[in-house]
Amino acid sequence: MSEISKKILVIDDEENVRELLKLEFLDLGFEVMTANSAFNGLQVLKDHKMDLVILDIKMPGMDGIEALEKIISTQRGLPVIIHSAYSHYKDNYLTWSATSYVVKSGDLTELTAKAKEILANKED
Amino acid sequence: MNVNSTSSDFKELLFSNMDKVLHAWMLLDGENNIVQWSAPAEQHFGYSSNDVEGRPFSMLLPEHTHNREQYIALLELDCHNGSLINHRTQMVQRSGVIMDVVLSIHLLHNHQIFKLITFANVTETTELQHFVNNKMMELVERFHFFHGKDLTPQMHEIFDAILVAVTSGQGLKFNRCFLLLVDQDDQELKGVQAIGPASKEEAGRIYQELSASPPTLTKMIDLYKAAGQGSDSWINQLVRNIRVNLSEVDHILIQTLFNQKYQLVNDTSTLVSLPSFNWLRKTFSIHECLLVPLIWHGQSVGILIADNAVTGHAITDINIKALTDFAKTATEVIETVKLLSKLEESITYIKATNVKIKESQAQLMHQEKLATQAQLIAQMAHEIRGPMAIIGGFARRVHKRMTPADINYDPVDRIVETVATLELVLADILDQGPKAQDMAEDCDAAKTINRVVSLLEEEIHNRRISVNINIKGDLPNIQIKEHHLFEITHNLVKNAIEAIGKDGLLLILANELGNMVVITIQDTGPGISQAEEAKIFSPYYTTKEHGTGLGLVVVQKLVEEHRGMLTVHSLPGKGTTFTFSLPTVNKQEET
């Protein structure tokens, strides 16, 4: 892990999820920003350079799939982990361009492992 | 012709025979008073010439007749070319008995307008028509209440009514009557039903019973039914054995059908030379009978055969007239019953279909209900999964910071465990959609390739691209859903066509290599530079004006999901080759 901590943006409309992920990734030594909507998330990305986005799909207003498309077309190379309670979006090819897809769980091991792996590769 | 005869001789001859030609007739003067009265008219009405001559025609009409005094004057208005034919009305006999008659008027112009009136008494046939029509109405009514049941018994009842009407003392007074109908399906004339005593003895017995208390026609039917099933069934058997093919045009019955005219079968008949003539007399054991065709809208639908086999009475002109008249009613009734019977079949069919529709509807509703329930459960499970992840996530955080010595260690541990179990249950419900590879079906690559090419045929043709397809025979099936293979192939072929632009060659090869099927799509387009080659699999990368940049991403993802491989090889200026391989069905790897 580098001296300058990696920055993670969590986009989720559910406050408790944002709080949980923030605490968890802070514990792991990352810097964490949160946004409560896709729109706000895109605003944050305009102003801040991020290393990873953790993106919910089902959100009021703009959903995660639309946000994903915008992120990829504007911030090429920025990894995105889709983090959803739904697994069936995996079948939607629009989600295939995300770096990874993790189904929400009380056990954050899979999510944190994926995040660490992506960020480690990114440093290469 | 006798040359010495004068025209007055002819007139005399004609006038003296007029009663034979016209049966019943009378002549009215301009005031509609009777001036000439025929002998047959006298028989019918009971008035002599002296009684009626000089008196108004209206005296022959019943009291209740509408416009009684002007009756003939009004009919005159309806005359066409000086005649009115077959007008039906009622007239009254001297004794007060009312007759149903059919009369015709002919206007004869002299210094005043005389009217020749001819008429026929049709009381009997009218009554029989009413009787049979009532029977039919009864049947129609019953049909309305009881449809769904077999109509055959009712049909026999109506046939009985017709046959009784022909044979009864109140009716046409024949001894026996047989009904034969045309079966269009079998192209045959078939005997259907018969009525009559089997022998003189039985006839005597029945007629005695009948004369003791003259019954109604309805009672007659019951009497016949009761009068020994044996005789009835004997005569019925006789008629039901008769089957004549419609193509036997020489047969006397078929000739009667086609000529559509009655035939009196006896020694004077012109048809005596026909072989079937003797057959008929032998079959029915008679020397005389009457054949009357039943004609419905110009088509012969059957034959009534009537005879006086028991009493041996000769069949008179009056008998013939009565039966031919009655045949019209009989035909109407028979055809109505047949129509009802067909209707009945249709109703039964429609009912059965309806039941089937209702059943499948119920099934569908049940399935829909299940589908809706499943959807609801899925939705609820998703709603639960989010909060469950939060509970579990926070519980784990707390749990991590505890030591087993902590008083809350065990309770939090239980929370974490329970949430984990619950999440497994939810995953069972929600993530049961099998992986693409598991959903794979056997798929014939040759079929899919041909389908893709034929779908793009127009574009290929417009761009003047020649296509060379080379597929190895007996290629094993691939483990993939057809629409997935289609998606892959379609994307690659479409890319190749667009790369070529116009005029070029498209090569599609399919081969077996180990446990894989290898499909190659090669174009003679401009090719891809090495720098570009690295980018083509990135999402949203496109060189096309209207491209999404997702085509190759989808292809790659699908190939990978099915444990296949996708490679690209390009020579700038020469063209590009995409190759993908997918595992075959019969040589699966163990996983």
Side-chain angles (χ1 to χ4, degrees):
Chain A
M1 203 118 335
S2 68
E3 316 77 47
I4 311 155
S5 44
K6 301 279 184 183
K7 292 194 187 100
I8 298 175
L9 172 63
V10 176
I11 305 176
D12 201 308
D13 61 319
E14 177 60 56
E15 194 199 340
N16 289 316
V17 175
R18 294 197 300 273
E19 188 59 24
L20 177 65
L21 296 195
K22 189 178 173 180
L23 292 173
E24 203 68 18
F25 282 108
L26 282 175
D27 283 354
L28 292 171
F30 298 108
E31 234 180 82
V32 181
M33 290 187 82
T34 60
N36 62 1
S37 72
F39 182 79
N40 289 340
L42 293 173
Q43 290 299 317
V44 172
L45 286 175
K46 263 189 197 166
D47 303 333
H48 302 85
K49 197 188 168 302
M50 289 289 158
D51 298 297
L52 173 67
V53 177
I54 295 173
L55 181 62
D56 186 21
I57 289 182
K58 235 188 144 195
M59 288 183 285
M62 190 196 298
D63 68 8
I65 290 176
E66 200 182 335
L68 175 66
E69 205 174 325
K70 288 196 157 60
I71 293 168
I72 284 170
S73 57
T74 56
Q75 311 239 347
R76 200 151 274 189
L78 174 60
V80 178
I81 296 176
I82 287 176
H83 187 228
S84 170
Y86 296 81
S87 55
H88 69 256
Y89 288 115
K90 275 183 192 171
D91 299 336
N92 184 340
Y93 71 89
L94 290 170
T95 67
W96 295 357
S97 45
T99 322
S100 192
Y101 192 120
V102 176
V103 177
K104 280 181 183 174
S105 164
D107 186 351
L108 292 172
T109 319
E110 190 189 352
L111 180 66
T112 52
K114 278 269 160 63
K116 280 195 264 186
E117 181 194 328
I118 290 166
L119 289 171
N121 286 341
K122 206 175 172 255
E123 211 174 19
D124 290 346
Chain B
M1 193 176 290
N2 188 342
V3 285
N4 294 325
S5 298
T6 63
S7 68
S8 69
D9 287 336
F10 290 134
K11 280 179 193 162
E12 181 58 38
L13 179 74
L14 189 62
F15 192 76
S16 62
N17 282 293
M18 200 142 138
D19 287 351
K20 284 187 188 164
V21 180
L22 296 177
H23 296 297
W25 60 273
M26 68 191 86
L27 192 68
L28 308 184
D29 63 11
E31 305 294 316
N32 295 328
N33 292 321
I34 300 164
V35 290
Q36 283 283 343
W37 187 245
S38 64
E42 187 173 333
Q43 280 168 20
H44 278 291
F45 286 95
Y47 293 112
S48 69
S49 305
N50 287 337
D51 296 328
V52 293
E53 277 174 15
R55 296 188 58 191
F57 173 83
S58 56
M59 70 171 281
L60 301 171
L61 297 171
E63 292 288 338
H64 58 76
T65 308
H66 198 59
N67 287 322
R68 189 165 175 253
E69 306 306 324
Q70 292 82 38
Y71 200 82
I72 292 295
L74 288 170
L75 287 185
E76 230 180 297
L77 297 176
D78 289 334
C79 280
H80 190 69
N81 289 337
S83 299
L84 178 72
I85 308 287
N86 289 343
H87 171 73
R88 245 191 134 104
T89 187
Q90 287 187 325
M91 294 177 89
V92 62
Q93 295 173 353
R94 184 178 203 166
S95 59
V97 172
I98 290 177
M99 298 182 288
D100 287 291
V101 297
V102 174
L103 59 80
S104 299
I105 302 176
H106 304 278
L107 304 180
L108 310 174
H109 294 265
N110 204 323
H111 54 278
Q112 55 176 311
I113 299 175
F114 286 92
K115 288 130 208 158
L116 174 67
I117 294 183
T118 61
F119 68 91
N121 182 350
V122 293
T123 312
E124 261 185 12
T125 43
T126 307
E127 272 171 15
L128 292 177
Q129 279 167 6
H130 282 161
F131 164 71
V132 175
N133 273 330
N134 284 343
K135 268 276 156 198
M136 184 179 71
M137 291 314 293
E138 228 176 77
L139 180 69
V140 170
E141 215 133 279
R142 260 188 283 169
F143 173 75
H144 279 303
F145 285 110
F146 294 114
H147 64 74
K149 284 185 184 164
D150 184 13
L151 266 186
T152 317
Q154 272 95 329
M155 283 186 78
H156 284 294
E157 213 170 296
I158 205 80
F159 294 159
D160 265 341
I162 290 166
L163 298 172
V164 164
V166 176
T167 53
S168 77
Q170 278 186 334
L172 301 180
K173 300 183 180 77
F174 283 93
N175 288 168
R176 307 189 301 181
C177 188
F178 306 85
L179 174 66
L180 296 87
L181 293 175
V182 171
D183 185 329
Q184 287 294 351
D185 293 338
D186 292 349
Q187 286 290 299
E188 268 183 346
L189 179 70
K190 288 179 180 173
V192 177
Q193 207 151 321
I195 214 160
S199 63
K200 259 187 189 164
E201 293 70 43
E202 193 184 292
R205 190 168 52 74
I206 290 177
Y207 292 153
Q208 227 169 17
E209 277 176 44
L210 294 184
S211 58
S213 56
T216 62
L217 287 166
T218 314
K219 269 191 192 151
M220 282 277 299
I221 294 176
D222 298 336
L223 254 169
Y224 265 113
K225 272 187 200 158
Q229 293 288 319
S231 66
D232 188 56
S233 70
W234 173 79
I235 201 163
N236 269 312
Q237 268 171 21
L238 177 75
V239 75
R240 283 185 195 131
N241 279 334
I242 299 177
R243 297 182 84 157
V244 188
N245 198 290
L246 295 185
S247 60
E248 288 180 44
V249 288
D250 284 342
H251 197 284
I252 187 165
L253 294 179
I254 304 302
Q255 280 207 353
T256 309
L257 269 186
F258 287 156
N259 294 338
Q260 304 204 331
K261 282 195 182 110
Y262 76 85
Q263 276 295 339
L264 186 61
V265 173
N266 58 25
D267 295 334
T268 65
S269 171
T270 52
L271 300 172
V272 75
S273 58
L274 292 177
S276 52
F277 186 86
N278 281 328
W279 163 84
L280 186 72
R281 298 218 287 193
K282 220 171 158 184
T283 306
F284 292 100
S285 333
I286 32 100
H287 68 275
E288 187 181 49
C289 70
L290 179 63
L291 311 181
V292 177
L294 304 174
I295 298 155
W296 181 246
H297 291 300
Q299 210 182 357
S300 302
V301 294
I303 292 183
L304 277 176
I305 303 176
D307 66 32
N308 288 327
V310 182
T311 58
H313 290 160
I315 296 171
T316 64
D317 286 356
I318 293 168
N319 292 150
I320 294 172
K321 174 92 172 73
L323 187 57
T324 48
D325 277 353
F326 177 71
K328 288 172 198 139
T329 305
T331 311
E332 257 173 53
V333 169
I334 288 167
E335 288 304 306
T336 308
V337 172
K338 282 210 285 204
L339 206 67
L340 278 181
S341 170
K342 271 187 198 149
L343 201 64
E344 179 61 42
E345 272 173 38
S346 311
I347 287 176
T348 312
Y349 174 73
I350 289 169
K351 270 188 173 171
T353 316
N354 206 16
V355 167
K356 271 188 199 158
I357 289 173
K358 275 192 181 149
E359 275 172 6
S360 49
Q361 246 175 1
Q363 223 174 350
L364 208 66
M365 269 168 68
H366 183 64
Q367 278 169 353
E368 255 172 34
K369 208 172 146 193
L370 285 183
T372 314
Q373 276 177 353
Q375 227 173 353
L376 255 168
I377 290 169
Q379 207 178 329
M380 276 176 60
H382 277 123
E383 298 297 332
I384 292 167
R385 191 186 248 173
M388 196 58 59
I390 295 163
I391 296 168
F394 280 108
R396 275 170 198 272
R397 281 186 64 77
V398 175
H399 192 251
K400 263 193 272 179
R401 283 164 177 71
M402 283 179 167
T403 61
D406 205 308
I407 188 159
N408 281 326
Y409 183 88
D410 188 52
V412 174
D413 188 51
R414 281 165 194 263
I415 294 172
V416 170
E417 287 293 312
T418 311
V419 168
T421 313
L422 208 53
E423 280 191 328
L424 281 177
V425 173
L426 289 176
D428 244 15
I429 299 169
L430 296 173
D431 306 333
Q432 61 189 342
K435 293 207 176 351
Q437 174 202 324
D438 301 333
M439 291 191 300
E441 290 162 358
D442 297 3
C443 179
D444 180 355
K447 246 189 212 168
T448 308
I449 290 168
N450 287 322
R451 195 158 79 85
V452 167
V453 172
S454 70
L455 201 73
L456 294 168
E457 202 158 20
E458 203 184 328
E459 210 179 336
I460 290 169
H461 178 77
N462 289 342
R463 290 171 184 261
R464 297 190 298 268
I465 295 171
S466 21
V467 182
N468 190 351
I469 302 174
N470 197 336
I471 298 168
K472 181 185 174 271
D474 287 335
L475 213 57
N477 280 354
I478 305 175
Q479 285 183 60
I480 189 170
K481 275 205 167 176
E482 209 271 337
H483 72 93
H484 280 147
L485 183 63
F486 178 84
E487 191 74 26
I488 296 168
T489 317
H490 185 254
N491 262 310
L492 293 178
V493 172
K494 210 166 156 43
N495 275 351
I497 290 169
E498 280 162 3
I500 293 168
K502 271 198 171 139
D503 301 300
L505 183 69
L506 172 66
L507 183 67
I508 302 173
L509 307 170
N511 246 308
E512 192 183 359
L513 190 71
N515 53 5
M516 306 287 261
V517 165
V518 181
I519 296 170
T520 302
I521 290 147
Q522 190 177 349
D523 66 63
T524 55
I528 310 167
S529 69
Q530 281 216 313
E532 267 183 321
E533 218 172 272
K535 286 191 239 166
I536 57 168
F537 292 111
S538 320
Y540 309 108
Y541 175 83
T542 182
T543 56
K544 298 174 202 160
E545 206 177 329
H546 301 291
T548 58
L550 282 172
L552 284 175
V553 178
V554 170
V555 169
Q556 192 179 34
K557 185 95 178 171
L558 280 173
V559 171
E560 277 174 8
E561 276 200 358
H562 290 88
R563 296 172 299 155
M565 266 176 50
L566 174 69
T567 57
V568 57
H569 178 71
S570 186
L571 284 174
K574 298 264 182 194
T576 309
T577 306
F578 279 94
T579 303
F580 68 95
S581 53
L582 289 165
T584 59
V585 171
N586 47 0
K587 295 172 191 168
Q588 290 179 36
E589 302 169 20
E590 281 198 34
T591 42

